[in-house]
Amino acid sequence: MSDRTLPRSTPAAQGVDASGVHAFLDALEADPEIEPHSLMILRHGRVVASGWWAPYTPERPHLLYSLSKSFTATAAGLAVAEGLIRLDDPVISYFPEFEADITDRRSRAMRVRHVASMASGHDAETFDRAHAIDPEELVRGFLLLPPEREPGSVFAYNQPATYTLATILQRVTGQSLTGYLRPRLLDPLGIGEVAWIRDGAERELGFSGLHASTDAIARLGLLHLQDGVWEGERLLPEGWVTEATRALVANADGTPEGALSDWQQGYGFQFWRSRHGYRGDGAYGQFCLVLPEHEAVIAMTAATKEMQEVLNLVWEHLLPAFGPGPLPGGQDADTALGERLARLALPPAAGKAAPPERAEAWSGAEFMPYGGACADQPTLTAVGVGADADGWSLTLTEDGHRLALRLGGDGWTVQDDGPVPTAVSGGWTDAHTLVADVAFLETPHHLVVTCSLADRTFMARWRTEPLHGGPLHAMRAPRGSV
């Protein structure tokens, strides 16, 4: 997180009713399908409410999944301003080595603006098909897959389209996305450390994989709310934000349900239109929500499959809280809200201390996957439970890597000194069963590990499935990114 803090204000001074924020927090915390990790609310360019649910903290980066796309689109806006790319250039013109291979008329007609707006002409996601065509070069596989419709005529959420845009940017700049963005966007906005997952070609993915703080999300949203201007300096070309955040391609299905869906309001350059304002978002509840009509930005991270419900709660509770002017007499309510936000915490998993009568049996016990393999994490081959002078520990073993975790008391035990930042809660549910909830703190994901002493087996399940896969020791922001 940056040392340059955003301006702050009380909610009442910016016309925000604290009771609406309380109601939103109540609704989030009451829904068992939503696990909030962080929230920042900005009004009139000032932070009026912010909080992190322990064990999550302000400075820690969080995997943004497809919210990464909005950062990629912002890089595209900068590259357009510098004359490095043109939106109406054919995509194939940036890949002359594929010129002889790409013969389909529609593939050759695809423009940069089409891949930037998910309007390549394909009528469905192409990732698996493009990867099957060329496992080594996704752009080539994508371009070899003929679009079913004319480019620009149909919307389809399509990862290779954004990956192609990101590859073009990395080619014309000769840098990684983060390297290009650092002096042009990240430093001017005061965004500190970020990290982006790379593929086998050593390219930053563009369509996913960015790890950044909630503060970084808020700053991206505020830049767009301010039409690309930051502290009096224009960073994005004039008109870019308007173009990038309008409905460039329609995606509604015409049903009453579709009218209530925030995923059927149109799509811009890697930004979704919403029933109110527009947003970048990522799987499992990563949001950068911009509300120009209220001069507000809402940044969130979470772990939930119910992303539409999160937005429904925003519309129900936060929108009515945005008033036209300062609210007199709100000091007590603002103070109470600030105190609540400062003590936010996720409830730890239930569990008791090790049963004394079985402590000897548990100490040093090894557990194998129930049924011979762990379906949720096949590389996880063994779990060990141990005890020493510092207490109990859990060791997860996969492909020769051992992840040692401390089992603490009643709350979350945070561990930053291992290969991956984690927080663990839980304990023994009975003399024969140990349940540990392992939160991988730089991602939205928890792995729940259950050990059975009776048959020396374990089960492990993800609460939300990691979309990038990979081993447990890689469940963190990449280190050493430029």
Side-chain angles (χ1 to χ4, degrees), residues 66-422:
S66 284
L67 179 48
S68 309
K69 292 179 171 71
S70 301
F71 284 84
T72 299
T74 306
L78 294 165
V80 166
E82 293 179 0
L84 297 175
I85 63 171
R86 292 186 296 271
L87 294 175
D88 289 316
D89 282 348
V91 169
I92 188 63
S93 68
Y94 292 92
F95 302 95
E97 71 272 31
F98 305 150
E99 178 75 29
D101 298 336
I102 311 306
T103 58
D104 179 78
R105 179 185 62 80
R106 289 172 175 164
S107 292
R108 296 183 67 86
M110 197 186 302
R111 309 292 175 177
V112 173
R113 68 170 59 253
H114 298 143
V115 293
S117 59
M118 298 289 190
S120 64
H122 297 96
D123 59 14
E125 171 67 62
T126 64
F127 186 90
D128 289 342
R129 289 177 289 161
H131 185 266
I133 291 172
D134 192 333
E136 302 300 321
E137 177 50 81
L138 186 63
V139 172
R140 181 175 179 274
F142 171 64
L143 293 176
L144 283 171
L145 192 64
E148 294 84 3
R149 307 273 290 277
E150 293 298 322
S153 68
V154 62
F155 171 85
Y157 198 66
N158 192 353
Q159 312 300 340
T162 315
Y163 180 84
T164 298
L165 176 64
T167 301
I168 291 172
L169 291 170
Q170 290 173 91
R171 281 193 165 203
V172 299
T173 65
Q175 296 177 277
S176 67
L177 292 171
T178 50
Y180 179 66
L181 287 173
R182 175 55 62 194
R184 295 166 175 84
L185 181 83
L186 303 179
D187 284 345
L189 264 58
I191 293 175
E193 180 186 0
V194 301
W196 218 315
I197 293 174
R198 297 175 181 241
D199 64 6
E202 281 301 303
R203 294 179 195 142
E204 293 180 341
L205 296 181
F207 65 85
S208 186
L210 179 62
H211 294 70
S213 67
T214 314
D215 179 82
I217 300 171
R219 289 168 191 257
L220 181 74
L222 184 57
L223 175 69
H224 283 76
L225 180 66
Q226 296 171 166
D227 191 34
V229 175
W230 190 267
E231 296 178 347
E233 179 185 358
R234 174 161 292 285
L235 300 183
L236 293 172
E238 189 168 1
W240 175 263
V241 170
T242 299
E243 186 73 2
T245 62
R246 72 182 181 91
L248 294 168
V249 56
N251 63 348
D253 64 10
T255 66
E257 294 80 9
L260 296 175
S261 168
D262 284 292
W263 278 265
Q264 294 191 31
Q265 307 302 316
Y267 196 78
F269 290 149
Q270 312 294 300
F271 281 92
W272 296 92
R273 292 297 306 178
S274 298
R275 285 177 289 165
H276 305 275
Y278 59 86
R279 71 189 192 281
D281 68 34
Y284 304 126
Q286 325 318 313
F287 287 106
C288 178
L289 181 58
V290 183
L291 303 170
E293 64 271 34
H294 297 287
E295 294 185 69
V297 173
I298 300 168
M300 283 189 66
T301 60
T304 181
K305 298 178 183 177
E306 302 300 326
M307 291 176 64
Q308 180 62 71
E309 181 58 21
V310 173
L311 291 174
N312 291 344
L313 296 177
V314 171
W315 310 148
E316 180 180 356
H317 299 295
L318 291 185
L319 284 193
F322 296 132
L327 302 177
Q331 182 176 354
D332 290 346
D334 289 349
T335 299
L337 176 61
E339 291 173 349
R340 177 178 183 179
L341 289 166
R343 63 174 185 269
L344 294 174
L346 297 180
K352 300 178 181 179
E357 70 278 11
R358 303 296 292 169
E360 185 175 346
W362 277 101
S363 182
E366 294 284 338
F367 301 86
M368 296 295 109
Y370 180 81
C374 179
D376 271 24
Q377 187 71 15
T379 55
L380 182 56
T381 55
V383 173
V385 177
D388 57 26
D390 295 325
W392 290 88
S393 64
L394 190 73
T395 301
L396 310 182
T397 301
E398 57 172 354
D399 292 339
H401 291 274
R402 293 165 62 85
L403 180 60
L405 307 167
R406 303 304 304 185
L407 291 171
D410 296 332
W412 293 93
T413 299
V414 176
Q415 188 166 314
D416 275 318
D417 57 353
V420 56
T422 58

